[in-house]
Amino acid sequence: MNRRSLLALTAGAAATPFLAREAFAQAATITGAGATFPRPLYERWSQAAREPLGVTLNYQSIGSGGGINQITARTVDFGASDAPLSTAQLTERKLMQFPSVLGSVVLSANLPGVADNALRLTPEIIVDIFMGRVARWNDPRLVELNRDIRLPNLPVSPCYRADGSGTTWVFTTYLSRVSDAWRTGPGAGTAISWPAGNGARGNEGVSNIIRNTPGAIGYIENAYAVVNRMTTTQLRNKGGRFLAPEMPAFLAAAAAADWTVPNFAADTIDLADPAAWPITSPTYILLPIDPPADKVAASRNTMRFFDWAFRNGGDIARRLEYIALPTAAHDLIRAAWARQVRDPSGAAVWTGAAA
């Protein structure tokens, strides 16, 4: 290698980090706020998209209610909510919504001697447990369902989220769907009056109760259960099959959902598909449909970010136990961007991935 070549290589090597730093310094930043559930995924997508896309995401996980308030006040570029907004709410706020991924809710129990995913539960038994109608784990109905395992003679101790949460909304919506008594009683919501049990804040608080209380059972997000190696249960779905909480069952729920419904508010709870996990729900992005002139670029970059995530972020989502949407749903979302989000001149903000 001659000296000229060596100098050229040295100069190039020295320039590369500078150019990289310059590129990062020039990267556009978008801001979002809302649901805590998708925060790990959005952070990982942001890290992965930063260099190839030139967009950096600053996401504040302040809860779905806070995210709705911030995007309504237009203090961020997008909001995030685990529960979908109604058509009237979206119209009033001049927003559109679209799902980014799905999450699943599982039941975790502390039963000494019972292996992971060995316990079988039906919708009727789950309702009765959280109604406080099942006193002990060797209840004859539980024993009949679980002939292959030995259930301990322990009190049944249900536990629940004491803070308002999207996870509670998903779980209580499921209970209301499978039980008229629950629907007309405790009902569904992000925070309800529970008939029995003990409450704690966050997935961590509920999990701590389960770990420390033999006989305890509670609902938590699957991603949290996997990361923290919580013992989970099988559930019988609407199709009559007992399923373990595993990715094929989650993907079956995503595939069976109708993504053509207005505002992408697909119902993925208690689906009839015998392969589908019964307790899943999308998490949503809220985007203004009328960005002012100084926010058009941020609006476009928000859509570019999620378009990149849809194309390239599926493996990242699966590694973190999130459920990627079907490709057909991604196409419908892009079409909705082009149709609904307009700049002050009335032109579409989204005109494709290269926009």
Side-chain angles (χ1 to χ4, degrees):
M1 180 180 295
N2 61 38
R3 187 170 182 271
R4 184 185 295 274
S5 298
L6 181 61
L7 287 174
L9 282 174
T10 303
T16 299
F18 172 77
L19 291 173
R21 288 195 299 271
E22 184 177 52
F24 282 159
Q26 294 173 351
T29 297
I30 56 175
T31 59
T36 58
F37 161 68
R39 178 188 57 79
L41 177 62
Y42 294 168
E43 288 181 351
R44 195 68 62 85
W45 277 352
S46 178
Q47 294 166 4
R50 184 178 180 186
E51 186 171 356
L53 192 64
V55 173
T56 297
L57 168 61
N58 178 9
Y59 184 72
Q60 308 164 48
S61 56
I62 58 174
S64 297
I68 293 169
N69 290 337
Q70 287 218 13
I71 191 57
T72 300
R74 301 300 196 261
T75 55
V76 290
D77 299 319
F78 69 87
S81 172
D82 287 336
L85 271 61
S86 67
T87 298
Q89 291 171 318
L90 292 168
T91 301
E92 179 184 10
R93 294 168 171 81
K94 296 185 177 179
L95 298 171
M96 69 161 296
Q97 70 185 5
F98 62 90
S100 56
V101 289
L102 285 86
S104 54
V105 175
V106 300
L107 287 170
S108 178
N110 179 349
L111 298 178
V114 177
D116 190 28
N117 294 332
L119 181 68
R120 290 181 163 198
L121 296 173
T122 64
E124 298 80 10
I125 286 287
I126 296 169
V127 169
D128 281 351
I129 285 174
F130 284 89
M131 281 282 196
R133 295 172 177 165
V134 182
R136 304 191 76 82
W137 280 103
N138 59 353
D139 180 285
R141 291 175 295 169
L142 283 163
V143 171
E144 176 65 22
L145 273 175
N146 295 278
R147 293 180 178 179
D148 297 335
I149 60 178
R150 183 179 177 84
L151 292 172
N153 182 14
L154 285 171
V156 175
S157 301
C159 50
Y160 53 84
R161 289 278 293 268
D163 53 328
S165 82
T167 308
T168 296
W169 177 81
V170 174
F171 184 62
T172 56
T173 297
Y174 167 76
L175 295 177
S176 296
R177 196 70 58 78
V178 300
S179 166
D180 287 340
W182 191 279
R183 179 175 55 79
T184 58
T190 55
I192 67 165
S193 179
W194 291 87
N198 299 298
R201 297 182 66 82
N203 283 294
E204 183 178 4
V206 172
S207 298
N208 285 339
I209 292 180
I210 296 170
R211 287 194 190 94
N212 297 325
T213 312
I217 181 170
Y219 60 93
I220 52 179
E221 294 163 1
N222 179 62
Y224 188 90
V226 170
V227 170
N228 292 279
R229 299 182 178 181
M230 301 294 292
T231 299
T232 53
T233 76
Q234 297 182 46
L235 299 183
R236 193 189 71 195
N237 64 12
K238 193 171 187 176
R241 285 181 57 188
F242 284 97
L243 297 175
E246 296 171 343
M247 190 54 73
F250 304 151
L251 291 173
D258 179 4
W259 298 104
T260 65
V261 297
N263 307 313
F264 298 104
D267 186 346
T268 62
I269 295 176
D270 197 35
L271 297 175
D273 188 325
W277 184 252
I279 318 177
T280 64
S281 182
T283 188
Y284 292 91
I285 299 300
L286 304 170
L287 190 64
I289 59 174
D290 62 341
D294 63 338
K295 292 290 187 181
V296 168
S299 176
R300 182 179 295 116
N301 283 330
T302 298
M303 291 181 273
R304 288 179 62 221
F305 176 82
F306 284 101
D307 174 73
W308 181 94
F310 291 161
R311 295 178 189 277
N312 304 282
D315 287 343
I316 295 174
R318 281 186 284 274
R319 285 198 294 272
L320 293 174
E321 296 293 328
Y322 294 91
I323 309 161
L325 301 173
T327 300
H330 293 160
D331 292 339
L332 290 170
I333 291 168
R334 294 185 185 98
W337 291 342
R339 189 173 59 251
Q340 296 186 41
V341 184
R342 298 282 162 166
D343 69 15
S345 73
V349 175
W350 175 257
T351 56

